[in-house]
Amino acid sequence: MLQDTSLLRIPGPTPIPPSVQRAMDQPMIGHRGIETKELLGRIKPKLKPVFGTEQDVLIMTGSGTSGLETAVVNTTKARDEVLVIVTGSFGDRFAKICEAYQLVVHRLEVTWGEAVDPEQVREFLQKNPQIKVVFATFCETSTGVLNPVAAISKAVHENSDALVVVDGVSCVGGVEAKMDEWEIDMLVTGSQKAMMLPAGLAFVAASKQAWQVIEANQQPRFYLDLRKYRDNLADNSTPFTPALSLLFGLEQALALMEQEGLQKVYERHMTMMAMLRGAITALGIPLLTKTEAASPTVTAIHPENFDPEQLRKQVKQEFGLAIAGGQQHLKGKIIRIGHMGYCAPQDVLQIISLLELGIQRLGKRIALGQGVIAAQEIYLDARREANHDI
Amino acid sequence: MLQDTSLLRIPGPTPIPPSVQRAMDQPMIGHRGIETKELLGRIKPKLKPVFGTEQDVLIMTGSGTSGLETAVVNTTKARDEVLVIVTGSFGDRFAKICEAYQLVVHRLEVTWGEAVDPEQVREFLQKNPQIKVVFATFCETSTGVLNPVAAISKAVHENSDALVVVDGVSCVGGVEAKMDEWEIDMLVTGSQKAMMLPAGLAFVAASKQAWQVIEANQQPRFYLDLRKYRDNLADNSTPFTPALSLLFGLEQALALMEQEGLQKVYERHMTMMAMLRGAITALGIPLLTKTEAASPTVTAIHPENFDPEQLRKQVKQEFGLAIAGGQQHLKGKIIRIGHMGYCAPQDVLQIISLLELGIQRLGKRIALGQGVIAAQEIYLDARREANHDI
């Protein structure tokens, strides 16, 4: 195989756009100098529309999980009762963080591959008004499910005073988030998914209601104390040394999103999801999730006639195409394909043509090209509908 | 459209592999220091198999045209009679360089899109034994024709003492060259095609017979004097300041070719050609060249039912896919697609799927996916035949 070929299509980390890479290659600067202040000053207003909030989006140096832990330690203290909606392994991680801090954790377990029904959340809160925080996952990366966080938030707020904290790691930037309108109290994401950056930054925004809780909360915390980030960002600064090269990249990634237009970014992700799902269906391969529960950023397929792990190995070795397998009890059973951030319909067509070849190369019969045709037709329909550039 | 998307599929410059880009990003060094000597010492033996020669391949700082002019000024002087085989615009350029130096130029003009018939060369030399040099183009970039340079060389040497000088710019590195075995006296290429580098380097190797002519040649020359390059390279040096970052990249590009294996590199290019030609044929679009005259590195198509320039504009604007148009009298009539260097079958599938969409977007009927299917089948056949990695 041609060396140096890498088609990174796992659900994060995702490929870095060349201009973002170049931006990150800038010479290092001092983190307390005027350049950093100006950089943060330029970034600050551009993050808000991505979150759909008027609140400042705080920038932390850490992985997405550090953002999730930040949400927990800033909104809760030991023995608080919380509800964690678990639709996959990242919901499970949220619950594990809560358990580590000795919260009283109620898990609302949902079959993996399905979205939570907001009515279940409503019923739970009607019976358990003592719940302090509800933790939900927007896109569950382990299954490709997009949970209805607007409806979840509504169900919570109509029945309790609980805060709604949302893990948006594998979709914010690729899927529209309306944090303020949906009355989400805290929204968290990471840099290495739809934000088109390497891992290393976590982004957290909190509502006014959340800030009241955060201010009053006695939970010990230092690096993850959101108050420090808020007070520093007010002055275009950070409490601790920031990952400056990632901030250079962030400015350019936000510029790319602005140039394309955020609505167009979201449409592109919807089109990619529809193309891939249409292709997989045309090839007669079952999808893990139903259309109404599917995320525009990651798609899970549940093959019956070939071994997912064999296909992953085949396309990696033969084409340099990296796709992900299943986690926990879905390990070895599903394939997850990331189509977010620096990914376009032209890449989805390539992925599909290579999946077709890979399956054929495993010795399985497949109708070559039928996935590509389905995706091409869906693309053309989307273009006709939009009647403008995607 | 997602900004920052660039699918560069013109017949050169071609995309740069990431590891080559990183190699070029190394800190600058002194061109007379030990590092440069060591670098040239490592590069020198690795260029020879790419040219198929035991001679040193000399490295000049300049475009491919500087390499062609080097070939002319080192092997000829004013009023020498030469034969230039013109199968397209780069054969024409060779002739123009010869004319600029006041050589007596005989042009063997061949219909664009066809390869030269070696018998024509044989007949010409039988009638014109006074010819000093025969200039031929290996891959004619303007038409995607691969001329039979081995047979041309044989026809020349069997009928005259003329040197055979070959422009290998758009194929050497992607197509097997056996300079010594084919008795080619001078072979020239550039860095920005199958060599996977930016433009800026020209490579020239000369046979023992050619060196005798070069030594005796009185043509005034300085920067392009091959003797200077030969004498310096013997000491792992260059006569003038070399483009060091390109040399950094060259070492890595050669390493990539070595890792893949040169035969595999050539097979990959053959497979890509077959895939693209099969796809275009399946879509009912005429090809400019016949299969026996086709180059593994560039393919020209000659559409009847849509405007080539409109398609180029459409796929560039909609997908960031850059493909080339025709030159001189083929301007506006053909499309040329580069598939050389940092390009693999997975990229060819993507190109085809986007050409199909682009034609459809022009409002022309096309059987979506039929090109992709043809290419997939050709790929699978090639793999079965090879029974090993491409």
Side-chain angles (χ1 to χ4, degrees):
Chain A
M1 190 179 75
L2 170 61
Q3 302 295 313
D4 230 26
T5 298
S6 166
L7 300 168
L8 183 64
R9 299 302 175 198
I10 60 173
T14 58
I16 310 301
S19 69
V20 173
Q21 189 67 55
R22 290 194 300 277
M24 292 193 298
D25 286 347
Q26 285 173 48
M28 196 41 59
I29 58 177
H31 66 298
R32 295 293 175 228
I34 183 70
E35 296 103 320
T36 300
K37 265 200 197 309
E38 289 174 351
L39 177 62
L40 285 166
R42 291 194 300 272
I43 287 170
K44 202 162 58 169
K46 298 197 173 175
L47 270 174
K48 293 181 182 192
V50 177
F51 273 59
T53 184
E54 290 301 315
Q55 302 296 320
D56 276 345
V57 179
L58 308 176
I59 305 169
M60 309 176 68
T61 305
S63 76
T65 301
S66 78
L68 302 185
E69 181 163 341
T70 296
V72 172
V73 296
N74 280 275
T75 58
T76 65
K77 59 184 185 305
R79 286 173 303 282
D80 276 356
E81 283 192 54
V82 300
L83 172 66
V84 183
I85 300 166
V86 180
T87 56
S89 74
F90 288 93
D92 180 58
R93 178 169 297 183
F94 235 158
K96 286 196 171 111
I97 296 169
C98 291
E99 284 154 5
Y101 283 96
Q102 301 179 303
L103 310 187
V104 179
V105 178
H106 300 266
R107 285 169 175 252
L108 178 46
E109 297 274 359
V110 178
T111 305
W112 287 33
E114 293 178 13
V116 69
D117 177 355
E119 285 311 303
Q120 282 188 281
V121 179
R122 184 183 302 275
E123 281 166 31
F124 183 90
L125 284 163
Q126 283 168 348
K127 287 180 201 157
N128 298 274
Q130 77 285 10
I131 293 293
K132 292 281 177 58
V133 184
V134 175
F135 294 95
T137 315
F138 197 174
C139 172
E140 174 51 65
T141 321
S142 63
T143 61
V145 158
L146 195 78
N147 282 299
V149 290
I152 294 168
S153 183
K154 192 158 183 277
V156 173
H157 293 312
E158 284 177 359
N159 295 283
S160 78
D161 294 326
L163 296 178
V164 175
V165 171
V166 171
D167 165 3
V169 171
S170 63
C171 65
V172 169
V175 172
E176 182 156 41
K178 296 181 172 179
M179 183 178 150
D180 289 356
E181 185 180 324
W182 299 341
E183 297 184 47
I184 288 170
D185 294 295
M186 197 174 284
L187 181 59
V188 179
T189 196
S191 49
Q192 78 278 19
K193 309 271 186 173
M195 298 298 289
M196 306 192 283
L197 290 165
L201 296 181
F203 305 99
V204 184
S207 70
K208 281 183 188 156
Q209 291 71 24
W211 278 115
Q212 289 178 1
V213 173
I214 295 165
E215 287 288 356
N217 186 17
Q218 298 302 313
Q219 172 77 47
R221 59 209 195 262
F222 193 85
Y223 187 70
L224 304 184
D225 188 344
L226 278 178
R227 292 169 298 190
K228 291 186 169 74
Y229 292 87
R230 177 197 58 190
D231 296 347
N232 275 274
L233 194 59
D235 190 33
N236 292 333
S237 181
T238 56
F240 314 111
T241 316
L244 282 157
S245 60
L246 296 179
L247 294 184
F248 298 153
L250 174 60
E251 184 179 24
Q252 176 57 21
L254 290 167
L256 288 176
M257 292 165 80
E258 198 177 49
Q259 282 162 33
E260 184 177 1
L262 277 180
Q263 286 306 319
K264 297 276 179 66
V265 171
Y266 305 144
E267 283 172 24
R268 170 164 54 83
H269 284 81
M270 295 286 281
T271 302
M272 293 193 292
M273 168 186 74
M275 289 170 72
L276 186 52
R277 290 179 65 87
I280 295 298
T281 301
L283 293 171
I285 303 167
L287 291 154
L288 180 67
T289 65
K290 288 185 186 153
T291 302
E292 56 271 28
S295 172
T297 54
V298 50
T299 294
I301 69 178
H302 197 171
E304 289 167 345
N305 299 324
F306 59 86
D307 176 3
E309 292 304 303
Q310 278 191 348
L311 181 63
R312 288 179 59 214
K313 203 174 152 187
Q314 182 69 32
V315 295
K316 183 69 164 66
Q317 180 255 321
E318 188 163 347
F319 304 117
L321 173 64
I323 51 180
Q327 298 179 326
Q328 297 190 21
H329 68 273
L330 289 179
K331 198 174 165 72
K333 293 185 181 158
I334 64 167
I335 284 171
R336 294 174 303 135
I337 299 163
H339 37 86
M340 67 182 119
Y342 186 52
C343 189
Q346 44 270 56
D347 301 308
V348 174
L349 291 171
Q350 184 179 42
I351 295 166
I352 296 164
S353 66
L354 299 180
L355 291 177
E356 290 175 354
L357 281 180
I359 294 165
Q360 193 89 5
R361 292 275 293 155
L362 292 184
K364 306 295 175 184
R365 285 282 193 91
I366 190 137
L368 284 177
Q370 299 312 306
V372 173
I373 293 170
Q376 286 177 317
E377 283 170 351
I378 289 163
Y379 172 82
L380 290 169
D381 285 346
R383 287 301 300 253
R384 274 189 285 268
E385 220 168 274
N387 199 24
H388 58 44
D389 285 334
I390 292 181
Chain B
M1 189 179 73
L2 170 60
Q3 302 294 314
D4 229 26
T5 298
S6 167
L7 300 168
L8 183 65
R9 297 303 174 198
I10 60 173
T14 58
I16 310 302
S19 69
V20 173
Q21 189 67 55
R22 289 194 299 277
M24 292 192 298
D25 286 346
Q26 284 173 49
M28 197 39 60
I29 58 177
H31 66 301
R32 295 295 175 225
I34 182 69
E35 296 104 320
T36 300
K37 265 200 195 313
E38 289 175 351
L39 177 62
L40 285 165
R42 291 192 301 271
I43 287 171
K44 202 161 59 170
K46 299 199 173 175
L47 270 174
K48 294 180 182 194
V50 177
F51 273 59
T53 184
E54 290 301 315
Q55 302 296 321
D56 275 346
V57 179
L58 308 176
I59 305 169
M60 308 175 68
T61 305
S63 76
T65 302
S66 78
L68 302 185
E69 180 163 343
T70 296
V72 172
V73 297
N74 281 275
T75 59
T76 66
K77 58 183 185 307
R79 288 174 300 281
D80 276 357
E81 282 192 53
V82 299
L83 172 66
V84 183
I85 300 167
V86 179
T87 56
S89 74
F90 288 93
D92 181 57
R93 178 169 299 183
F94 235 157
K96 287 198 169 111
I97 296 169
C98 291
E99 284 155 5
Y101 282 95
Q102 301 179 302
L103 311 187
V104 179
V105 177
H106 301 267
R107 285 168 175 253
L108 178 47
E109 298 274 359
V110 178
T111 305
W112 288 33
E114 293 178 13
V116 69
D117 177 356
E119 285 312 302
Q120 282 187 278
V121 179
R122 182 183 304 275
E123 282 166 30
F124 183 89
L125 285 163
Q126 283 169 348
K127 288 180 201 155
N128 298 275
Q130 76 284 11
I131 292 293
K132 292 280 176 61
V133 184
V134 175
F135 293 95
T137 315
F138 197 175
C139 172
E140 174 52 63
T141 321
S142 63
T143 62
V145 158
L146 194 78
N147 282 298
V149 292
I152 293 168
S153 183
K154 193 160 182 276
V156 173
H157 292 313
E158 284 177 358
N159 295 284
S160 78
D161 294 327
L163 296 179
V164 175
V165 172
V166 171
D167 165 4
V169 171
S170 63
C171 65
V172 169
V175 172
E176 183 156 41
K178 296 181 171 180
M179 183 179 151
D180 290 354
E181 185 180 323
W182 299 342
E183 297 184 48
I184 288 170
D185 293 295
M186 197 174 285
L187 181 59
V188 179
T189 196
S191 50
Q192 78 279 20
K193 309 270 185 174
M195 298 298 289
M196 306 192 283
L197 290 165
L201 297 180
F203 305 99
V204 184
S207 69
K208 281 182 188 156
Q209 291 70 24
W211 278 115
Q212 289 177 1
V213 174
I214 295 166
E215 287 288 356
N217 187 15
Q218 299 301 313
Q219 172 76 50
R221 58 210 196 262
F222 194 86
Y223 187 70
L224 303 184
D225 188 344
L226 278 178
R227 292 170 297 190
K228 292 186 168 75
Y229 291 88
R230 177 198 58 189
D231 296 347
N232 275 273
L233 194 59
D235 190 33
N236 291 334
S237 182
T238 55
F240 314 110
T241 316
L244 282 157
S245 60
L246 295 179
L247 294 184
F248 297 152
L250 174 60
E251 184 178 25
Q252 177 57 22
L254 290 167
L256 287 176
M257 291 165 82
E258 199 177 49
Q259 281 163 33
E260 183 176 2
L262 277 179
Q263 287 306 319
K264 296 278 178 65
V265 170
Y266 306 143
E267 283 172 25
R268 170 164 54 83
H269 284 81
M270 295 287 280
T271 302
M272 292 193 292
M273 168 186 73
M275 289 169 73
L276 186 51
R277 290 180 64 88
I280 296 298
T281 301
L283 293 171
I285 303 166
L287 291 154
L288 180 68
T289 65
K290 288 184 185 153
T291 301
E292 56 271 26
S295 172
T297 54
V298 49
T299 295
I301 69 177
H302 198 170
E304 289 167 346
N305 298 325
F306 59 87
D307 176 2
E309 293 304 304
Q310 277 191 347
L311 180 64
R312 287 179 61 215
K313 203 175 152 188
Q314 181 69 31
V315 296
K316 183 70 163 65
Q317 180 255 321
E318 187 162 348
F319 304 118
L321 174 64
I323 51 181
Q327 297 179 326
Q328 298 189 21
H329 68 273
L330 289 179
K331 198 173 165 70
K333 292 184 182 159
I334 63 168
I335 283 170
R336 294 175 303 135
I337 298 163
H339 37 86
M340 66 182 119
Y342 186 53
C343 189
Q346 45 270 54
D347 300 309
V348 174
L349 292 171
Q350 184 179 42
I351 295 166
I352 296 164
S353 66
L354 298 180
L355 291 176
E356 291 176 353
L357 280 181
I359 293 164
Q360 193 89 5
R361 291 276 293 156
L362 292 185
K364 306 295 175 185
R365 284 285 192 90
I366 190 137
L368 284 177
Q370 298 312 305
V372 173
I373 294 170
Q376 286 177 318
E377 282 169 352
I378 289 164
Y379 172 83
L380 291 170
D381 285 347
R383 288 301 299 254
R384 274 189 286 268
E385 221 167 273
N387 199 23
H388 57 43
D389 283 338
I390 292 180

